[in-house]
Amino acid sequence: MNALNDTPGVTVLIFRKRFALSLLLLLAGTGSVFAQATLRGVVRDGQTRHTLPGANVFVVGTSLGNATDVEGAYRISGIPLGMQTIQVSFLSYETTEIQVDLTEGGTVEVDFTLLPAFVQGELVTVTGQAEGQAAAINRQLTSNTIVNVVSEEKIRELPDANAAEAIGRLPGVSVQRSGGEANRIVLRGLSDRFTAITVDGVRIASTGAESRGVDLSTMPQSSLAGIELYKALTSDQDADAIAGSVNLVTKKAPSERLVQFDVKGAYSGLTERAEQFDLAIRYGERFLDQKLGVQITGNLERRDRSNENLDLDYTQFASGTNYRITDVQLNYTDEIRRRNGASLLLDYDTPAGGTIRVTNIYYKTERDFIDFNRNYPTDGEEIFYGARDREQSISSMSSALRGENYFWGLTGTWGISYSRSKSDYPFDYDVDFTEPSATDSEGNVISGMQRIPTSLDQGPAPDIIDYAANNFDRAFFYSAFYRDEAADEKEWTGYLNLENDYALSTSLAGQLKFGGKYRTKSRFRDRLEILSPYYIEAFPRFVRNEDGTISEKSFDGTEFDGLNMIGDRILANNFLGGAPESRDVFDDFRLNPVLDRDALRAWWRLNQNGFSDLLGANPEYERNLEADGDFYDVDERIGAAYVMNRFVIGRKVNLITGVRIESEDDDYGAKYSPRDLSGFPVPTGAIRDTSASHTETVWLPNVHLTFRPTGFLGVRLAAYKALARPSFNQRLPTYVARKAGTFYPGNSLLAGNPNLKAAEAWNYEINTSLYEGRYGLFSVSLFYKDVKGMYHLIDGAFFDAASGDALLDSLGLSVRNPFQGQGFALTHPYNSSRPTYVWGVELEHQTNLRFLPSFLSHLVLGYNFSVIRSETYVPGTETEEFFIERPPLPPIPSVRYLFVERKQKLEGQPEFLGNVALGYDLRGFSIRLSVAHQGEYNTRFSPDGRDDRVEDSFTRWDLAVKQQILDNIHVVFNLNNVTGVEEGTTVVNRVQDWRLRNDSETYGFSADFGVRITL
């Protein structure tokens, strides 16, 4: 044997050449087994002329067929020449068969119209919710993989604020909320970073500062034609989606001009505000003899997203189930959220039946909010109250040029796209005031908080509030922080897919598909934090002017003319706006005072350039170098290639096999501290730049089998491998040590992990769908995920000096304990050697009840339930007693900390999810009552298991009503969160097995009323 051929590189090269040659021969051969014709067209509703996505179009007597896409269009290649019988079916419609002459070959265009089915001898008009439900069911039944669908009609029937809430109606999906509206989805208990989000297959750039997740609250539903949730991936999809993939669908421009206006006003029950609106416009039309389609959408929205929050802290005793409330913390967030966006969609139909599309989408969310907070400590300690005033901007845009074209007997889909997201805080000012506890000469509390009687140690919490003095004339400015944070992501993508349909006989057909994709992503984050420790330093009396000179401060003519001070300490009454205001939180707790927002902003404006002397050597606001450690600059390059084959036997068996390879090559820029940051109150030291790289290649096999033994029963099996890449901030070469002086338990070490690998998972899926015309679609799915190398975060676990060095070695860190024999709290991501398992069952039923008598026949019902379980190993610590030998002296007992991994459920995973929607359609009237239930789940595991956090379960009710006034005018009324449900968390002590209320949040109910005009 030639030694040259033994080298790995040459072997791979020879394999690639042989594979490419074999592929070309196969493509050449499969296309000419028989003389062939192609049939294409559109399927429509015979009454409304609406297109019918998901309709089945089959060549009778063969295995050839296809389902219509979201446009209602179909294409079938490889049909034998001659007269052929074509059958078209769609749920709730009469099945149609026609003869088509394909003797001449080539491409023949035939459109079909279907009429709604007859029920009890009468023709039924399918409208509103029933039409959307039928479209969703058809697309799920005809899909080659396991998918859940939200149709365009269903989106418009729901009272959902954004795309995240619409997706949250699907089985297996829970949501995370911000200000009462969903902003992130959690699929099957795996956080949003495990889910891929695309628009027409184009990846949306991540919007978070650290994670790969997407804030879907930026995207309204008005521009969407549907949502596809893929539970099982095929080889032609991005593999970094262990949980699944969500595709937001847009449509081509309609054949007839469409102009649509939506105008809504809204009301918030929590703040009793009505100054809210939601405006949307949609225009679509075709030109150049129906070849060119143009669509323009725009939206403008202003919403009140305020909320109230209650947080209780406890002392946990070492034994028994006793506890004591140590603090009651109140927070009220006053928030106005604005959204605006626009899209321009162009599509051009090519002569061969293909299409070229240009998509431009831009969305932006702006948050203007301030958190007012205070506490009521129970040990007679000083009180803190303050405010954090913030503005946040999140924007996302994507531009794509893509096409589907037919040439040389092949179908080619191709595209190039650019997406970008930006998230920043243009303003973030955080202040705290303190009211020290003090008594007069007779022992009466005149400020601060007096110690509560032991009878209130365990509550009720509202009674604790009466023990606060609330003496604002003795409350002082404690500290002020100004923060600036920005994250920016840019991604370029190019891809090409080629498909070749072939027929081996009338009952055996298939499709060979292969292609590749290349993505390059740049990701940047920067963070600044400056602070002024007013509680420990004299008030700076000087300021740098715009011309660069430094002079003594003057507050003449401002809100602080005659500034109230005691010595060098600034009194809180300067920031109360004339008289202290209070607010009841949860109707039982008094948040007092509510600071004046204008005064806070004025203070920052007047003092941001303050100094303690005329030389400008001691600034009023000093830089906290710890925040610099959050910086990163990431370049990520991912190349992928795949080959897959779909083999069809008759109309009963569909087998898809394939393999995908993904390779990444990344560069990371970060910060490190060459020595520990130390000093008080502001740490000093140095922060330097550092860099690292990471490469990784993963092979991902895939198999899907669909078996339809009867026309109403379908069984889908899938086994495939997927991956999950770590968050952007986890592979960094970051190393920041913060020394807390002699109080060593405050020492902290942040160490990134450039060697962190992607988690890999084998996924197994079983889905059974049963459709019966009277009772609708029943679907049951079972899934099991076996994840290897799951990445976890050691989050502030404390280690003593001796065990710390051993731990650093075991984690592969080349650094030593930087704290000179002291202990420290470690934050570090790592790949666990222990497996992670996720499994569960999902049940879904969708039906209309037209078989019921009289008025009941107009009911539409849909519900789904999901039960999810998981098992993983979370990092933590436990203590071990040992003796220090000192011969000849007696040994000394001591304790050391050991790193352990405890078996737990995954964080962020509800074990039970449920959605129920009951609707009623009668002519132009439509009403829908929907219920969403989400079970409890873990949000945080403490290192010692005594202070874990669990998000409580909740059930939310929504109501949507729509009435047609004229042919082109509808009025709508939505009532969201009808019962004003609260969301909250619980403290769980797993060592002593007890649970306590920790955190509660309420955002109240909201209502909106509007009109839709279609021209």
Side-chain angles (χ1 to χ4, degrees):
M1 182 177 293
N2 191 329
L4 180 62
N5 291 338
D6 292 338
T7 62
V10 173
T11 302
V12 171
L13 182 61
I14 293 174
F15 169 77
R16 289 175 177 171
K17 289 182 177 179
R18 290 176 177 172
F19 174 77
L21 180 60
S22 301
L23 193 61
L24 289 174
L25 291 174
L26 179 61
L27 288 172
T30 55
S32 57
V33 174
F34 303 103
Q36 299 171 345
T38 297
L39 185 68
R40 68 183 179 92
V42 177
V43 180
R44 298 181 184 276
D45 182 303
Q47 292 180 330
T48 66
R49 305 300 297 171
H50 293 167
T51 58
L52 298 177
N56 261 309
V57 185
F58 270 96
V59 182
V60 176
T62 75
S63 60
L64 301 174
N66 214 335
T68 57
D69 61 16
V70 68
E71 314 287 350
Y74 73 92
R75 184 183 184 91
I76 306 173
S77 301
I79 306 175
L81 303 185
M83 293 295 294
Q84 298 290 350
T85 301
I86 310 301
Q87 183 187 89
V88 185
S89 60
F90 191 85
L91 302 186
S92 303
Y93 287 74
E94 297 289 344
T95 298
T96 296
E97 286 189 1
I98 65 170
Q99 294 285 320
V100 177
D101 186 358
L102 300 176
T103 306
E104 300 296 326
T107 299
V108 177
E109 186 170 353
V110 178
D111 294 338
F112 294 89
T113 57
L114 302 182
L115 290 176
F118 285 82
V119 176
Q120 299 175 352
E122 295 184 2
L123 182 65
V124 176
T125 301
V126 182
T127 59
Q129 301 174 46
E131 182 179 11
Q133 185 184 65
I137 291 174
N138 273 278
R139 291 170 66 186
Q140 289 179 203
L141 287 175
T142 57
S143 172
N144 292 321
T145 185
I146 302 171
V147 63
N148 295 115
V149 175
V150 183
S151 67
E152 180 178 14
E153 293 79 12
K154 193 172 182 179
I155 290 174
R156 295 181 183 276
E157 292 290 340
L158 296 170
D160 296 327
N162 54 57
E165 293 201 347
I167 300 169
R169 306 279 182 177
L170 295 173
V173 182
S174 58
V175 297
Q176 296 176 343
R177 298 186 182 276
S178 170
E181 68 171 348
N183 64 334
R184 297 181 184 274
I185 63 168
V186 178
L187 178 56
R188 291 175 167 177
L190 294 162
S191 70
D192 61 337
R193 69 177 183 270
F194 294 99
T195 302
I197 308 292
T198 61
V199 175
D200 294 331
V202 176
R203 200 71 173 255
I204 300 178
S206 307
T207 54
E210 297 178 348
S211 74
R212 295 179 182 271
V214 175
D215 186 338
L216 287 167
S217 69
T218 61
M219 183 170 292
Q221 311 94 299
S222 57
S223 62
L224 300 179
I227 300 171
E228 301 167 336
L229 173 55
Y230 290 94
K231 299 291 184 62
L233 304 181
T234 50
S235 296
D236 55 348
Q237 294 175 287
D238 289 339
D240 52 338
I242 286 179
S245 177
V246 174
N247 186 42
L248 308 176
V249 182
T250 64
K251 293 177 69 172
K252 295 170 62 177
S255 57
E256 298 181 0
R257 179 185 298 173
L258 171 69
V259 180
Q260 193 171 82
F261 299 91
D262 287 278
V263 182
K264 290 181 183 178
Y267 173 81
S268 170
L270 183 72
T271 59
E272 300 180 352
R273 289 175 181 162
E275 301 86 5
Q276 305 173 64
F277 58 83
D278 186 354
L279 310 176
I281 183 172
R282 183 179 181 183
Y283 161 76
E285 190 169 359
R286 303 202 70 83
F287 301 91
L288 303 179
D289 196 23
Q290 297 287 308
K291 296 293 185 182
L292 175 64
V294 179
Q295 286 188 92
I296 300 174
T297 67
N299 70 282
L300 187 63
E301 181 181 353
R302 184 183 191 271
R303 290 279 185 165
D304 186 328
R305 295 300 179 191
S306 303
N307 67 84
E308 297 173 349
N309 186 276
L310 166 68
D311 195 331
L312 302 179
D313 287 343
Y314 304 90
T315 291
Q316 306 175 38
F317 298 105
S319 61
T321 57
N322 291 327
Y323 64 90
R324 184 174 187 271
I325 298 175
T326 59
D327 203 1
V328 179
Q329 301 176 50
L330 306 179
N331 187 90
Y332 166 60
T333 300
D334 188 358
E335 175 175 356
I336 296 298
R337 196 170 297 185
R338 297 177 178 85
R339 289 193 191 90
N340 58 80
S343 67
L344 172 62
L345 310 178
L346 306 175
D347 65 89
Y348 182 78
D349 293 336
T350 60
T355 184
I356 297 175
R357 303 191 189 195
V358 178
T359 303
N360 295 280
I361 301 175
Y362 174 81
Y363 299 111
K364 185 176 184 179
T365 296
E366 294 177 305
R367 302 177 62 191
D368 185 359
F369 59 119
I370 181 169
D371 300 318
F372 299 104
N373 57 80
R374 73 158 293 156
N375 73 324
Y376 292 91
T378 62
D379 290 325
E381 300 173 350
E382 58 186 340
I383 296 171
F384 285 92
Y385 40 86
R388 186 174 182 182
D389 187 2
R390 284 176 285 179
E391 297 173 6
Q392 184 185 18
S393 173
I394 303 173
S395 61
S396 177
M397 63 85 64
S398 63
S399 296
L401 172 64
R402 58 193 176 93
E404 181 175 346
N405 304 106
Y406 309 98
F407 49 89
W408 305 332
L410 300 176
T411 299
T413 55
W414 55 272
I416 182 171
S417 64
Y418 172 77
S419 63
R420 183 177 185 180
S421 72
K422 296 180 67 177
S423 174
D424 58 47
Y425 286 88
F427 187 84
D428 185 351
Y429 191 47
D430 187 1
V431 299
D432 276 311
F433 297 85
T434 180
E435 182 183 328
S437 292
T439 57
D440 59 17
S441 58
E442 298 179 357
N444 298 315
V445 175
I446 58 174
S447 67
M449 187 86 180
Q450 59 182 303
R451 185 179 180 89
I452 65 170
T454 56
S455 60
L456 292 179
D457 279 355
Q458 297 182 4
D463 292 349
I464 295 173
I465 291 176
D466 294 333
Y467 292 84
N470 296 327
N471 187 346
F472 308 125
D473 293 331
R474 295 182 63 88
F476 305 98
F477 211 149
Y478 186 80
S479 64
F481 291 80
Y482 184 85
R483 302 177 179 96
D484 187 6
E485 180 175 349
D488 192 348
E489 177 176 319
K490 304 173 186 176
E491 180 172 308
W492 284 94
T493 302
Y495 67 90
L496 173 64
N497 303 308
L498 296 175
E499 304 174 18
N500 181 58
D501 296 326
Y502 60 88
L504 301 178
S505 69
T506 56
S507 60
L508 298 176
Q511 180 190 79
L512 181 67
K513 184 176 182 179
F514 63 98
K517 175 182 283 189
Y518 183 77
R519 290 191 289 151
T520 176
K521 180 196 301 286
S522 62
R523 178 85 188 186
F524 175 85
R525 182 198 186 188
D526 199 8
R527 185 168 175 261
L528 168 72
E529 181 178 272
I530 56 177
L531 66 104
S532 182
Y534 289 113
Y535 70 101
I536 201 172
E537 296 180 355
F539 173 55
R541 302 284 183 167
F542 302 90
V543 65
R544 186 187 299 277
N545 303 307
E546 292 184 0
D547 60 5
T549 61
I550 296 178
S551 63
E552 189 171 354
K553 290 179 180 177
S554 173
F555 296 124
D556 294 344
T558 72
E559 294 92 331
F560 307 103
D561 194 348
L563 185 67
N564 297 323
M565 300 181 65
I566 296 179
D568 282 329
R569 309 193 74 175
I570 306 163
L571 293 177
N573 55 26
N574 293 286
F575 301 87
L576 300 182
E581 296 183 12
S582 64
R583 179 181 177 85
D584 288 338
V585 176
F586 290 91
D587 296 326
D588 290 326
F589 301 88
R590 189 169 62 254
L591 177 59
N592 185 30
V594 175
L595 300 172
D596 183 79
R597 190 178 195 182
D598 293 335
L600 296 174
R601 292 212 170 192
W603 182 262
W604 164 250
R605 186 176 63 253
L606 294 169
N607 295 277
Q608 60 181 304
N609 295 316
F611 289 91
S612 296
D613 55 49
L614 281 170
L615 299 178
N618 299 300
E620 185 166 346
Y621 289 84
E622 304 173 68
R623 185 163 186 161
N624 179 10
L625 295 177
E626 287 182 275
D628 290 26
D630 293 329
F631 165 87
Y632 63 72
D633 188 0
V634 178
D635 289 314
E636 189 175 82
R637 296 168 291 275
I638 299 174
Y642 74 92
V643 60
M644 58 184 283
N645 183 73
R646 182 166 72 95
F647 195 57
V648 183
I649 304 175
R651 297 178 63 175
K652 293 185 177 181
V653 178
N654 189 318
L655 176 64
I656 300 175
T657 59
V659 64
R660 184 180 183 91
I661 180 174
E662 288 201 0
S663 181
E664 62 175 312
D665 178 16
D666 310 327
D667 294 318
Y668 296 94
K671 301 287 187 180
Y672 81 103
S673 57
R675 59 184 183 277
D676 57 70
L677 305 177
S678 60
F680 181 82
V682 182
T684 59
I687 290 287
R688 301 282 187 265
D689 293 332
T690 185
S691 62
S693 61
H694 180 89
T695 58
E696 190 173 351
T697 300
V698 182
W699 289 85
L700 304 147
N702 190 304
V703 60
H704 291 248
L705 174 65
T706 300
F707 179 54
R708 297 184 176 91
T710 67
F712 58 84
L713 176 64
V715 180
R716 292 181 173 88
L717 307 174
Y720 64 97
K721 196 174 183 181
L723 58 87
R725 296 185 174 91
S727 298
F728 299 107
N729 64 326
Q730 293 185 323
R731 279 182 178 161
L732 304 177
T734 301
Y735 178 84
V736 177
R738 170 69 165 102
K739 189 173 183 179
T742 57
F743 185 61
Y744 69 86
N747 294 341
S748 64
L749 175 62
L750 170 64
N753 188 353
N755 298 317
L756 195 66
K757 294 184 177 297
E760 300 178 23
W762 269 105
N763 302 266
Y764 306 96
E765 307 269 351
I766 302 175
N767 172 266
T768 301
S769 298
L770 178 65
Y771 178 78
E772 200 282 326
R774 287 169 60 88
Y775 303 110
L777 173 70
F778 289 92
S779 178
V780 179
S781 294
L782 302 174
F783 64 90
Y784 182 84
K785 299 178 183 292
D786 182 357
V787 187
K788 297 293 191 297
M790 177 64 86
Y791 41 84
H792 293 291
L793 181 67
I794 302 173
D795 188 8
F798 180 77
F799 297 92
D800 62 286
S803 61
D805 282 335
L807 172 68
L808 296 176
D809 286 337
S810 68
L811 294 172
L813 292 169
S814 59
V815 300
R816 299 288 85 197
N817 181 354
F819 300 109
Q820 299 82 42
Q822 295 181 350
F824 59 90
L826 176 67
T827 299
H828 175 73
Y830 74 103
N831 289 109
S832 176
S833 60
R834 303 287 192 95
T836 293
Y837 303 110
V838 182
W839 66 95
V841 58
E842 299 167 349
L843 181 146
E844 182 181 27
H845 181 208
Q846 299 184 59
T847 184
N848 55 64
L849 305 177
R850 288 200 301 270
F851 62 88
L852 293 177
S854 187
F855 69 92
L856 295 177
S857 63
H858 300 282
L859 289 171
V860 179
L861 175 66
Y863 59 86
N864 60 71
F865 303 101
S866 304
V867 178
I868 306 171
R869 297 291 185 268
S870 64
E871 179 182 299
T872 191
Y873 289 83
V874 298
T877 61
E878 64 182 24
T879 57
E880 179 184 68
E881 295 183 359
F882 72 102
F883 291 88
I884 301 175
E885 299 295 335
R886 308 183 303 159
L889 299 175
I892 299 176
S894 186
V895 174
R896 58 188 165 207
Y897 291 81
L898 301 179
F899 173 71
V900 296
E901 290 184 297
R902 297 186 180 92
K903 184 188 294 187
Q904 287 289 1
K905 297 180 293 185
L906 279 173
E907 297 177 357
Q909 182 182 77
E911 292 195 335
F912 180 78
L913 301 169
N915 291 279
V916 180
L918 180 63
Y920 191 83
D921 269 350
L922 180 60
R923 300 183 182 89
F925 175 75
S926 174
I927 185 170
R928 184 185 191 96
L929 179 66
S930 56
V931 184
H933 175 81
Q934 183 168 294
E936 69 173 32
Y937 60 89
N938 299 300
T939 59
R940 171 183 177 269
F941 291 106
S942 57
D944 61 2
R946 296 175 182 270
D947 190 26
D948 294 356
R949 295 290 192 274
V950 171
E951 187 80 18
D952 299 332
S953 62
F954 70 90
T955 303
R956 170 175 166 143
W957 295 71
D958 300 304
L959 179 69
V961 182
K962 183 170 71 172
Q963 175 65 59
Q964 183 176 355
I965 303 300
L966 299 174
D967 288 344
N968 60 338
I969 299 179
H970 293 78
V971 294
V972 295
F973 172 75
N974 298 322
L975 189 57
N976 309 295
N977 192 23
V978 176
T979 59
V981 66
E982 298 177 10
E983 299 180 18
T985 62
T986 297
V987 176
V988 178
N989 184 323
R990 302 187 192 275
V991 177
Q992 294 158 310
D993 194 25
W994 50 265
R995 303 164 64 98
L996 292 170
R997 179 189 187 187
N998 171 238
D999 175 270
S1000 294
E1001 182 178 56
T1002 182
Y1003 41 86
F1005 75 91
S1006 63
D1008 51 77
F1009 178 83
V1011 60
R1012 168 174 293 171
I1013 303 173
T1014 304
L1015 305 177

